[in-house]
Amino acid sequence: MIFQNAITTKDLTRQFQTVQAVDNLTLEVPPGIVFGFLGPNGSGKTTTIRLLLGLLEPTRGQATVLGYNTATQSDQIRKNCGALLEHHGLYERLSAEDNLEFYGRVWHMPPSERKVRIKELLVHLDLWDRRKEIVGTWSHGMKQKLAFARALLHRPVLVFLDEPTAGLDPIAAAALREDLAAMAEREGLTVFLTTHNLAEAEKLCQQVAVIRQGKLLAIGSPESLRLQGGKPRLEIRGSLFSQALLSELRARSEIAGITQSDHQLVIELTKVTDVSPLVNLIVRSGAQVEEVIKTKASLEDVFLTLMEEEK
Amino acid sequence: MIEDVITIIWKEIRELLLHRGRFRGGWTGLLFFAAIFGIFMPLQSGADWIKSPIGLLYWAWVPFLLVSGVVADSFAGERERHTLETLLASCLSDRAILFGKMAASILYGWGLTMTCVVLGLITTNIAYAKGHLLFYPAMIGIGIVVLSFLIATLSSALGVLVSLRASTVRQAQQTFSIAFFVLFIPLFLIPMLPETWRIKMLTVLSGININYQAILILVVTLLIILNIAIISIAMARFRRTRLIFV
């Protein structure tokens, strides 16, 4: 099937009694990218995935996934997508190999292909030596890795990952992130990743959307959101910052504000600009400059700003 | 769809029989069951074990017992262990999931019953044959196979229907017990009837020349109708979009 966007939603809405879990969500996810769907707990991320997979019916609005309508062709969507949902969904009484074997059969993979693919994934994720162990005895990190392998087993076109690193320690989370990035690139996947880990989104995603209480607050590349949401800053560590210097700096049009602490001057800029004239000015004023750092607003700053604005 | 049903059966049976990742532990319980119902009890009962029509009632109860022990887990267990949503997010059709779950519990309950029936026949022959082979009379033999299958199916269909909308296995088991009790309410009501009615009933019944074959056909027909009705309800109630939250 030919499709322009991997996912398109228009006014997608889902109401649970009095709670509007997803509220007029309209977005487009281009194919072949890692798309981050960011939001705090209870913001409607999981419900959106359920709606896109046809596991819930929308109250209003519509969505297409890989060109298929979620209301009428959800079986086709599920056929072409993989998913690691809110819970890993592994059969804990079965071995790792049996879990993958079962889902390989579910996706009608021929036995020989199934065998090769299971080995390929387990070796890549460093689980091959433990494939005969029952999953119930494994750590949360290993289970998440296996669930990730299961989601990719049938070489889907699109994968939904619902907070895949939630509950993992930093080392396990970083390892899973690395695997995710490598696999996505190697297999040319479109990934719909929900997370509230903004550093994770910043590292992995080419595009992100921010959602709160079911409403879409912002969408774009992490870079464009950073530019929209936060002003660049100049942090200067040193001493002897005179009042005359501060007054002169405040008078300049490219400077939005200045804060001074013991050995640091933080200059908030109105736009991305060449800062060398400012540094020259500071040095010429007699200040002792030890270090100059030019920073941009992080995705976290943007996210927090959006959350504040929405309150 | 058949391939998908077999896939579900494959998974369900492995989950049922594996114990800590090994088949050995899982088989122990089943072997114990087979030893009781296939060896010990036939030895106690003698040749009557295969000749008496009472055996029909007995072999109708065994598959019910076995299926009811596992079927409550079919959907409620997956829901409780958070594996249902992933299963529903797969490409399996609604019917494949439903029939796969039912078929697995029937295969388990009826399969084990048939194993015990055959084992009982062998035991009786070894212990009581006295030079000639003993075998079930045709009506009883066919009755056991058909009746136990229909009872296993009834137990499975009812259990799956209950399990579809139960949030936990415990809730499914409780509802299942009540549902089965409701089916047999007419039997429990007999002692409550006025004494004159009961005497009249007994007189009528004692006057009837019992035709076991006709009764068997009647029971089988009723069970087929009941099974079709319950399976149809289960099919109608299986809606993927309503199964995650109950």
Side-chain angles (χ1 to χ4, degrees):
Chain A
M1 188 146 190
I2 299 164
F3 49 87
Q4 197 181 351
N5 289 308
I7 298 169
T8 308
T9 69
K10 189 165 181 350
D11 301 327
L12 193 66
T13 302
R14 173 68 202 208
Q15 190 157 356
F16 293 107
Q17 286 154 355
T18 55
V19 179
Q20 195 96 318
V22 177
D23 191 355
N24 286 301
L25 181 69
T26 299
L27 58 80
E28 288 177 349
V29 178
I33 66 161
V34 179
F35 184 87
F37 201 49
L38 316 181
N41 291 334
S43 57
K45 303 188 295 290
T46 300
T47 305
T48 303
I49 288 188
R50 285 173 175 158
L51 289 166
L52 294 175
L53 279 169
L55 300 177
L56 280 179
E57 285 168 353
T59 310
R60 309 192 279 284
Q62 53 179 311
T64 58
V65 176
L66 305 175
Y68 298 108
N69 190 307
T70 56
T72 55
Q73 297 168 297
S74 61
D75 49 346
Q76 287 300 321
I77 294 170
R78 289 188 290 268
K79 205 172 172 182
N80 292 288
C81 293
L84 194 178
L85 302 172
E86 192 179 13
H87 301 282
H88 55 67
L90 297 165
Y91 294 101
E92 301 211 344
R93 283 183 279 183
L94 300 184
S95 69
E97 199 172 33
D98 279 350
N99 267 281
L100 295 187
E101 173 70 22
F102 170 61
Y103 274 99
R105 287 170 184 236
V106 164
W107 298 109
H108 303 143
M109 293 171 76
S112 55
E113 189 193 334
R114 211 155 62 209
K115 205 173 160 188
V116 171
R117 181 68 169 158
I118 289 172
K119 185 170 183 184
E120 181 193 356
L121 287 167
L122 291 181
V123 167
H124 183 86
L125 295 169
D126 208 18
L127 297 171
W128 177 249
D129 293 339
R130 305 187 68 173
R131 67 190 183 281
K132 302 280 182 200
E133 294 174 15
I134 56 162
V135 172
T137 60
W138 281 13
S139 68
H140 182 54
M142 288 169 74
K143 287 177 190 171
Q144 286 295 96
K145 271 189 177 188
L146 183 63
F148 179 55
R150 183 201 55 215
L152 300 183
L153 184 64
H154 58 294
R155 300 182 195 279
V157 184
L158 167 66
V159 182
F160 291 95
L161 302 174
D162 193 358
E163 301 194 12
T165 56
L168 297 185
D169 64 65
I171 296 168
L176 187 62
R177 261 196 300 274
E178 245 173 61
D179 289 331
L180 199 163
M183 298 288 253
E185 197 180 323
R186 199 176 66 167
E187 311 216 346
L189 287 168
T190 305
V191 179
F192 188 90
L193 170 83
T194 75
T195 183
H196 50 219
N197 183 332
L198 300 159
E200 181 171 289
E202 204 149 14
K203 273 182 194 162
L204 293 173
C205 304
Q206 284 89 57
Q207 267 202 47
V208 292
V210 181
I211 182 176
R212 185 189 153 97
Q213 290 177 340
K215 282 184 186 158
L216 185 70
L217 302 184
I219 186 165
S221 67
E223 185 63 35
S224 69
L225 287 191
R226 274 197 303 260
L227 288 174
Q228 276 173 36
K231 295 180 178 99
R233 288 186 307 186
L234 196 62
E235 290 176 16
I236 299 160
R237 290 194 190 130
S239 57
L240 303 176
F241 302 117
S242 65
Q243 282 307 315
L245 169 68
L246 298 181
S247 303
E248 196 172 342
L249 287 172
R250 282 193 183 102
R252 293 179 74 107
S253 61
E254 71 267 41
I255 292 176
I258 297 175
T259 46
Q260 188 191 4
S261 57
D262 282 353
H263 293 284
Q264 184 169 283
L265 197 62
V266 178
I267 302 172
E268 201 170 292
L269 302 165
T270 52
K271 58 182 179 189
V272 179
T273 182
D274 176 16
V275 294
S276 53
L278 292 177
V279 178
N280 269 334
L281 176 69
I282 294 163
V283 172
R284 274 192 278 110
S285 75
Q288 297 292 305
V289 176
E290 288 173 21
E291 191 179 15
V292 178
I293 305 166
K294 193 177 168 188
T295 61
K296 289 182 282 191
S298 67
L299 197 55
E300 188 165 356
D301 296 328
V302 177
F303 182 80
L304 293 173
T305 309
L306 284 167
M307 293 300 123
E308 277 301 313
E309 281 172 5
E310 197 52 26
K311 273 180 191 171
Chain B
M1 192 182 82
I2 300 292
E3 193 187 341
D4 291 340
V5 169
I6 292 169
T7 298
I8 295 278
I9 294 172
W10 179 88
K11 191 272 289 180
E12 292 287 315
I13 295 292
R14 282 186 93 77
E15 274 202 299
L16 271 173
L17 300 185
L18 280 172
H19 180 71
R20 291 186 188 169
R22 294 177 194 278
F23 275 114
R24 203 174 57 190
W27 280 106
T28 313
L30 299 186
L31 288 175
F32 181 74
F33 189 90
I36 297 287
F37 289 89
I39 300 171
F40 178 73
M41 293 188 72
L43 284 176
Q44 293 287 307
S45 309
D48 273 353
W49 182 252
I50 55 176
K51 285 181 183 166
S52 170
I54 301 295
L56 279 171
L57 289 178
Y58 181 77
W59 291 118
W61 170 74
V62 170
F64 166 73
L65 187 78
L66 288 166
V67 173
S68 64
V70 297
V71 75
D73 190 79
S74 57
F75 286 95
E78 293 244 14
R79 189 175 288 118
E80 204 170 41
R81 293 188 291 275
H82 304 296
T83 52
L84 184 62
E85 195 176 350
T86 301
L87 186 69
L88 296 176
S90 75
C91 65
L92 288 170
S93 68
D94 294 4
R95 298 234 164 131
I97 298 174
L98 183 72
F99 290 135
K101 292 278 184 187
M102 277 181 55
S105 60
I106 293 169
L107 189 70
Y108 171 80
W110 188 60
L112 192 54
T113 303
M114 287 298 103
T115 306
C116 291
V117 168
V118 173
L119 199 58
L121 187 66
I122 294 167
T123 307
T124 312
N125 271 288
I126 291 170
Y128 304 105
K130 292 175 186 167
H132 60 95
L133 268 179
L134 296 171
F135 203 76
Y136 290 101
M139 195 270 289
I140 295 176
I142 295 168
I144 287 172
V145 174
V146 175
L147 203 61
S148 59
F149 176 76
L150 289 174
I151 291 281
T153 307
L154 177 68
S155 180
S156 172
L158 199 61
V160 162
L161 180 64
V162 166
S163 190
L164 267 178
R165 297 290 169 90
S167 53
T168 61
V169 176
R170 179 179 285 189
Q171 192 197 342
Q173 281 167 337
Q174 285 170 343
T175 315
F176 179 70
S177 316
I178 293 166
F180 220 83
F181 176 78
V182 168
L183 282 180
F184 289 95
I185 275 182
L187 291 176
F188 295 107
L189 290 178
I190 291 171
M192 294 173 172
L193 293 171
E195 201 175 345
T196 49
W197 289 27
R198 275 185 285 156
I199 291 168
K200 211 178 256 180
M201 273 174 67
L202 278 174
T203 316
V204 171
L205 285 173
S206 58
I208 295 171
N209 185 16
I210 295 175
N211 180 344
Y212 288 110
Q213 205 170 332
I215 292 173
L216 183 66
I217 290 168
L218 181 72
V219 171
V220 165
T221 309
L222 282 174
L223 281 173
I224 290 172
I225 293 168
L226 204 54
N227 276 330
I228 291 171
I230 295 175
I231 292 170
S232 303
I233 296 169
M235 283 165 69
R237 280 176 70 88
F238 189 103
R239 291 186 61 188
R240 211 178 271 251
T241 51
R242 300 237 175 122
L243 286 180
I244 297 173
F245 304 112
V246 289

